[in-house]
């Protein structure tokens, strides 16, 4: 996927030779182990196959495994529900794209905040309304401060301000 290579040129592509379960590919498992990481975040084409099989195997080998439920799909709602139950019974942690993004980003006080805001809008187009509302509230507060004396210190969200201008 060229998009992954663009934003993560360090990412390693591991070809598979037909294995349904990526964890059955020795090079895949070796590559995961060589990262030295003990927490995996997994998504795939089908949650009940592409995600479930390696997630359960990695969990059995002692990894902390998060599965991004809304970044994968299933052929039916029943398949998704059954898979979710199996994950939770095995100790695999279901999560969402938004939760992963927020957990990794942690704060708006960072230089790449505007790019993160773009990512939020891609994942959730209605997030643009949140940014517009925030910016309008900041404009109103700034106008009050200008008309009523010196500004007070307040929390800002630079990404939201930068994104909507």
């Amino acid at each position: 996927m060229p998009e992954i290579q663009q934003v993560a040129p360090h990412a390693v592509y591991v070809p598979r030779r037909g294995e349904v379960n990526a964890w059955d590919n020795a090079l895949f498992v070796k590559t995961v182990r060589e990262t030295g990481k003990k927490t995996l975040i997994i998504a795939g084409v089908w949650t009940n196959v592409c995600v479930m099989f390696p997630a359960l195997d990695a969990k059995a080998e002692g990894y902390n495994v998060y599965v991004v439920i809304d970044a994968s799909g299933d052929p039916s709602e029943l398949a998704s529900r059954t898979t979710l139950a199996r994950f939770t019974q095995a100790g695999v942690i279901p999560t969402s794209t938004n939760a992963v993004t927020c957990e990794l980003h942690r704060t708006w006080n960072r230089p790449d905040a505007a790019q993160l805001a773009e990512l939020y809008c891609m994942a959730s187009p209605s997030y643009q309304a949140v940014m517009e509302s925030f910016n309008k509230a900041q404009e109103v507060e700034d106008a009050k401060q200008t008309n009523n004396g010196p500004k007070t210190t307040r929390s800002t969200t630079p990404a939201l301000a930068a994104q909507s201008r």
Side-chain angles (χ1 to χ4, degrees):
M1 297 176 76
E3 298 85 357
I4 293 175
Q5 277 302 143
Q6 285 177 329
V7 297
H10 60 284
V12 177
Y13 169 72
V14 178
R16 293 192 305 193
R17 307 253 189 272
E19 304 91 350
V20 173
N21 179 352
W23 211 258
D24 288 339
N25 179 299
L27 180 57
F28 179 84
V29 174
K30 178 180 181 279
T31 302
V32 170
R33 287 182 180 143
E34 287 175 350
T35 68
K37 307 291 184 187
K38 293 303 285 178
T39 299
L40 304 179
I41 301 171
I42 301 177
V45 177
W46 278 2
T47 311
N48 69 337
V49 177
C50 305
V51 178
M52 183 170 57
F53 298 156
L56 293 175
D57 286 347
K59 181 66 181 168
E61 287 195 29
Y63 287 87
N64 299 313
V65 181
Y66 291 77
V67 295
V68 187
I69 297 297
D70 62 343
S72 308
D74 275 316
S76 71
E77 185 178 342
L78 180 60
S80 294
R81 288 181 184 200
T82 303
T83 303
L84 185 58
R86 193 166 174 192
F87 282 149
T88 56
Q89 290 168 355
V92 172
I93 304 163
T95 190
S96 68
T97 301
N98 189 53
V100 170
T101 305
C102 290
E103 192 167 355
L104 294 174
H105 124 224
R106 312 273 312 171
T107 180
W108 287 110
N109 290 324
R110 52 189 292 163
D112 60 351
Q115 290 88 355
L116 286 166
E118 289 177 29
L119 181 62
Y120 279 98
C121 289
M122 287 172 46
S124 177
S126 60
Y127 194 74
Q128 182 67 38
V130 173
M131 294 189 321
E132 290 169 5
S133 176
F134 174 85
N135 286 326
K136 186 62 177 174
Q138 296 308 300
E139 288 173 20
V140 169
E141 182 63 24
D142 288 345
K144 284 183 191 176
Q145 295 296 327
T146 300
N147 294 332
N148 294 328
K151 289 186 176 183
T152 58
T153 304
R154 60 182 159 82
S155 174
T156 60
T157 306
L160 299 181
Q163 179 67 19
S164 68
R165 291 188 181 152

